[in-house]
Amino acid sequence: DISCGELVAAERPLITYRDVPSWRESVQAQFDALSAEDQAAVMSLHDVTASPEGDDKKLEGVFDTNSIGCVSSSYDGVLCGTLSRFNHSCVPNCEQFWDDELFREKIFASEDIKKGDELCFSYVEPFLRREDRAEIFAKRYDFSCDCPACTAASSSDDGRRERLGEIVNTLGRGVSADADQAVALSTEMLEICDAEGLALQGFRAQACYHAFQCLLLAGRTKDAEPWIQRACGHIENCRGKDHPDAVALRGFAEDPASHPAAQRSEE
């Protein structure tokens, strides 16, 4: 069995990607610099644009089919020999994270996983509607998703997922002194994740940290403390205890007054 927050796998990418006009040339140059063994590993990956026999595979097709997006100031995507083989689920039991500092693509368990269960992460933003997800899967990956959130009998709700996206966008616009509204939004986000079976620790950390900051800004330190404790647990589960983000949040949990929002509330 695998416990929530456990590092499932970590891998140095074979090829990195920047969203620039010359990305094809960059990918080709990196491929050409690989050993024969690593080149073979790359070309053994699926290419949705190739024939069923696969004898007409192209590097661009392989990369587009198997690259993993990442949030980084350095890269927009990576291609890995092993982690690029992980399958998708709209209710994933794992989540991927690019560790810029260690130059590693990492997969963490976002919930407790039983022995024998397939390890999956989401290829798309989980707040997309079912039909929008299906269109991406068909066009880019050439598969039809039959995960629990996409089956006809699923209790997954497009309205809830759309609302999740709205909240994520709202939280992304920054903190507010309206602490009650912030707590309500964060609570709603967590409730939607529960209802949709989304154990994603990164989303949960974002919700809890937002409530913490807004409560601090409103001068409500005691109310903020439980939220930062929860945020710490979630961020450790999707980054690792030693990651700078986890270390920073533990520092705020130990001393909430050290957070900039607490200092702003005193001005």
Coordinates of all heavy atoms in Angstrom, one line a residue, residues 18 71-75 100:
R18 N 10.1 24.7 -23.6 CA 9.7 26.1 -23.4 C 8.8 26.5 -24.5 O 9.0 26.2 -25.6 CB 10.9 27.0 -23.4 CG 11.9 26.9 -22.2 CD 11.2 27.2 -20.9 NE 10.7 28.6 -20.8 CZ 11.3 29.7 -20.5 NH1 12.6 29.6 -20.2 NH2 10.7 30.8 -20.5
V71 N 4.6 23.9 -13.9 CA 4.6 25.3 -13.5 C 5.9 25.7 -13.0 O 6.4 25.2 -12.0 CB 3.5 25.5 -12.4 CG1 3.5 27.0 -12.0 CG2 2.1 25.1 -12.8
S72 N 6.6 26.5 -13.8 CA 8.0 26.8 -13.5 C 8.4 28.0 -14.3 O 7.9 28.3 -15.3 CB 8.9 25.6 -14.0 OG 10.3 26.0 -14.1
S73 N 9.4 28.8 -13.7 CA 9.9 29.9 -14.4 C 10.9 29.5 -15.5 O 11.3 30.3 -16.3 CB 10.6 30.9 -13.4 OG 11.7 30.2 -12.7
S74 N 11.3 28.2 -15.5 CA 12.3 27.7 -16.4 C 11.7 26.9 -17.5 O 12.2 27.0 -18.7 CB 13.3 26.9 -15.6 OG 13.9 27.6 -14.6
Y75 N 10.7 26.1 -17.2 CA 10.1 25.2 -18.2 C 8.6 25.2 -18.2 O 8.0 25.5 -17.2 CB 10.6 23.8 -18.0 CG 12.1 23.7 -17.9 CD1 12.7 23.5 -16.6 CD2 13.0 23.8 -19.0 CE1 14.1 23.4 -16.5 CE2 14.3 23.8 -18.9 CZ 14.9 23.6 -17.6 OH 16.3 23.5 -17.5
D100 N 11.8 22.3 -9.6 CA 12.8 23.1 -10.3 C 14.1 23.0 -9.7 O 15.2 23.0 -10.3 CB 12.3 24.6 -10.4 CG 12.5 25.2 -11.8 OD1 13.0 24.5 -12.7 OD2 12.1 26.3 -12.0

